[in-house]
Amino acid sequence: MGTTTLSPARNATVAAALGRRRKRIDRLTRILCIAATVIGLAMLASILATLLMRGLGGLSLDVFTRITLPPGSSGGLLNAIVGSLIQTAIGTAIGTPVGLLVGTYLSEYARGSQLGTAVRFVSDVLLSAPSILIGLFVYTVLVDPFGGFSGIAGGVALAVIVIPIVVRTTEDMLQLIPVALREAAVALGAPKWRSIVFVCYPAAREGIVTGMLLAVARIAGETAPLLFTSLGNLNWSLSLTQPMASLPVTIYQYAGSAFDDWVALAWVGALLITFGVLAVNILARLVLRRRG
Amino acid sequence: MRCAQSGAPKSSTDVAGVPLNPDCTNLDRTVPDIAAPAPTARPARRSRAVSGDTIYAAATTTAGVFVLLLLGAIIASLFIGGWPALRAFGPGFIFDTEWDPVQEVFGAGVSIYGTLLTSIMALVLAVPLAFGIAFYLTELAPAWLRRPVGTAIELLAAVPSIIFGMWGFYVIVPLMAQTIQPAVIDTFVDIPLLEDFFAGPPFGTGLFTAALILAVMVLPFIAATMRDVFLTVPAVFKESAYGVGATTWEVMRSIVVPYTRAAVVGGIMLGLGRALGETMAVTFVIGNTNRIATSLFGPGNTIASIVALEFPESPAGSLKLASLLALGFVLFVISFIVLAISRILLRPRAKG
C-alpha cells in the first residue's frame, strides 16, 4: 500500500508542489509586509502634506509679531510661541538635572540593588504614563492649593515628563562607556564621583544631549498636561504666576472654533510645532550618530 | 613617588603628567615604596575623596528615591482628589453608566468601556501592520533603505498628539463620513448581528474613527519595539534555518517569532498603554457622548477625553471634579498594570 506514496516519481511531484506552495506563501507575506510599510509611510506623508497644504498659506510675519486676537482682527501666535518656549525651558531646566542624577544613580550606584530595580521600573512606567494624568497631578498639588493656573505649574508638569526620558538615555549612555576608561580614572586615584563627572559625563555627552533634545521635542507638543496647569491665555503675559498661553493649547482652542481665521491660524501653529518637533528629533539623531 | 599620593587629578594636565614622573616609571621600585609613606599621606586625601563620594552618592540616591515618591504622589493625589466621588458612589462608580452633571450622578462605565474598546480596536488594526513593518525592516528591506524607512516610522511617533487630532478631524472624519461608513453600513444592512455593529448615521466621528487614529499613533511604537527585539535573534539561529532551505517567512514564523514572543507581546502592551491614555487625538474625533453605543460607528467617550472635555466646566471642589480625578485614578491603575506587564515582558533576555 505504502509503496505508491513512496514511489520516487510521485515523491518528487509532491515535493515540487510543496515547494511551490511555500514559495507562494513567502512571496505573499513579502508583499503584505511591503504594503504595511507603505501604509505606515503614507500616514506620515498624509499628515505632513495636510499640514503644508492648510498651514503654509497662512504663514506670514504677523504670526510671529502679533498676539492672539479676537476673530476677524488678524491676530498672530506670538504669545503662544513665547509661552511655549518659556514652559518648555522651565520643564527642561528642572527635568534634565533630576533625570541626569537618577540616570547616574541607576548606572553607577544601583547595580543589582533592589532600590535601583524599583527606580528603573517606576521611571520606565512614568515614561509611558498618560500625560493627562500628570496634568491632573500638578493641578492637585500646584494649581488648586495655590489658587490658580500658572505658567510655572505648566513648566513643572512638563518637567515630570522630561525626567524619565533623560533617565533612560543617561543610563543607557553611561552603560556604553568602556570599563577601561573608568579603570583609567580610578587607577589615577580619582574618587568615583570625579570619574563620573569628569570622565563619564564628557564621554557620554552626545547621548545625554540627545536625551535632552528628545525630551524637548516631546514636551514642546504636549497639550493635555497644560490644559489643567497653565490653562492658556489669549492676552500677552510673561508672568509665571498667571495663566500662560502655549502653542499646543492655542491650537486646541482655535482648531475647534467656528471662525475660519482662527482655524487657519491653528493650522499655521500645527505646521510650526510639527516641523519644529521633527527638526529637533532629527537633530537629536544626528548628534547621536556623530558619535560613530 | 608624589604621583601616587597627589590625590585626585584636578585636571587633565595632572593626568597627563603622571607617567612622566620618573619615580613612577619603574614599577619594581614603586611597589615597596607605596606602602611606607602611605599612612602619613593618605588620611587627608581619603577624607576629602570620601566626602565628595558620599555627597554624590547621596544626591543621586535622593534623586532615585524622588522618582519613586513622584509616582506615589501621582497615585495619592488622584486618589485623594477623587475620594469624594469614590465615597459617594462606592465601587459601583466603575460600572455605573450614568453621567449626569445636572443630577450630580457620575459613573465611569461609559468612559471605561470607550477606553477599552477603542484601545483594543486600535491594537487589532495596528499590530498586523506593525508586525509587517518590523518584518520588512529586519529581514526584507535592502540595507540602504532600512535606516531612512525606520527613521520615518519613528518620526511618526514624534508627531504631537494634537496634530493627529486635527488630521483626524479634518482628513479622516470627512473620509469616514462620505465614503467608508456609508459603504460599510450598506454592506451589512441586512445581516442580523453585523447590522447593529455598524448601525447609525455616518457622522464620521465616533469610536471606530478614534480607534483608527489611535492605531496610527501606536503603530510606530509597536513597530519600533518589534524591530528592536527581532534584531536580538542570534544570526546563527536564522542561518541554520536558511541553511536547511527555509524561506524568509518560515524563518520568521519558526525561529524569530518563537524566540521573541514574550518581548513582542511586551511591545504590544506598550502600545496598549499608550492608546489607553491618549487624550488630544481622541478628544477631536470621539463624538463626546456619555451613552454606551452598540454601534462601532457610534459616538462615545474615553476616560482621557471626558477629563479633557469636562474639566473646564468642573469648578474646584465640585463633585464633578472629584469624579474626573477618580476617573484619572482608574486610568492610572489600568495603564500602570498594562505598562508593568509590558516592562516585565520586555526585560532583556538572560544570557545563555
Side-chain angles (χ1 to χ4, degrees), chain A residues 88-89 92 96 162 165 210-221 277 280:
Chain A
T88 304
T92 315
T96 307
V162 168
I165 302 175
T210 301
M212 214 179 87
L213 288 175
L214 288 177
V216 167
R218 167 87 192 274
I219 61 175
V277 162
V280 174

Side-chain angles (χ1 to χ4, degrees), chain A residues 202-256:
Chain A
R205 191 178 55 227
E206 286 93 348
I208 294 169
V209 169
T210 301
M212 214 179 87
L213 288 175
L214 288 177
V216 167
R218 167 87 192 274
I219 61 175
E222 280 289 349
T223 317
L226 297 180
L227 287 175
F228 320 135
T229 50
S230 63
L231 190 67
N233 192 339
L234 294 178
N235 302 311
W236 176 256
S237 165
L238 288 179
S239 167
L240 290 180
T241 55
Q242 294 296 313
M244 186 176 267
S246 62
L247 209 39
V249 172
T250 309
I251 294 171
Y252 177 55
Q253 290 165 339
Y254 276 22

Side-chain angles (χ1 to χ4, degrees), chain A residues 6-189:
Chain A
L6 284 176
S7 82
R10 191 178 157 80
N11 236 352
T13 31
V14 169
L18 191 61
R20 277 198 303 277
R21 185 162 168 270
R22 288 172 54 213
K23 287 227 175 65
R24 259 207 312 278
I25 293 175
D26 191 52
R27 210 173 305 134
L28 183 69
T29 51
R30 278 165 189 262
I31 292 168
L32 288 176
C33 287
I34 292 170
T37 311
V38 169
I39 291 173
L41 295 177
M43 296 297 166
L44 180 67
S46 165
I47 291 172
L48 297 183
T50 309
L51 287 169
L52 287 173
M53 280 190 311
R54 294 179 186 247
L56 213 51
L59 201 57
S60 68
L61 205 59
D62 281 354
V63 173
F64 302 98
T65 56
R66 305 180 69 130
I67 68 161
T68 49
L69 293 172
S73 42
S74 63
L77 293 167
L78 178 64
N79 51 337
I81 294 170
V82 171
S84 262
L85 290 176
I86 292 174
Q87 291 172 73
T88 304
I90 295 173
T92 315
I94 300 176
T96 307
V98 177
L100 191 65
L101 283 177
V102 178
T104 309
Y105 168 71
L106 291 178
S107 168
E108 308 295 321
Y109 290 97
R111 293 282 108 202
S113 82
Q114 286 195 339
L115 180 65
T117 310
V119 170
R120 187 175 299 111
F121 180 77
V122 165
S123 175
D124 282 345
V125 167
L126 283 178
L127 188 63
S128 306
S131 61
I132 188 168
L133 298 182
I134 291 165
L136 281 180
F137 161 65
V138 175
Y139 172 82
T140 60
V141 297
L142 278 184
V143 175
D144 199 27
F146 293 95
F149 300 96
S150 63
I152 190 81
V156 169
L158 296 181
V160 176
I161 298 171
V162 168
I163 293 171
I165 302 175
V166 176
V167 170
R168 177 85 345 268
T169 46
T170 305
E171 190 195 358
D172 289 349
M173 290 304 145
L174 288 177
Q175 290 292 296
L176 289 178
I177 291 174
V179 178
L181 211 58
R182 297 165 198 270
E183 284 174 350
V186 172
L188 291 169

Side-chain angles (χ1 to χ4, degrees), chain B residues 35 62 76 81 94 96 140 215 244 251 265 278 303 306 319 331-332 344:
Chain B
T62 309
I94 295 173
D96 192 5
L140 301 177
V244 297
V251 170
V265 176
E278 185 43 58
I303 296 178
I306 199 171
L319 190 61
L331 175 60
F332 197 91
I344 290 164

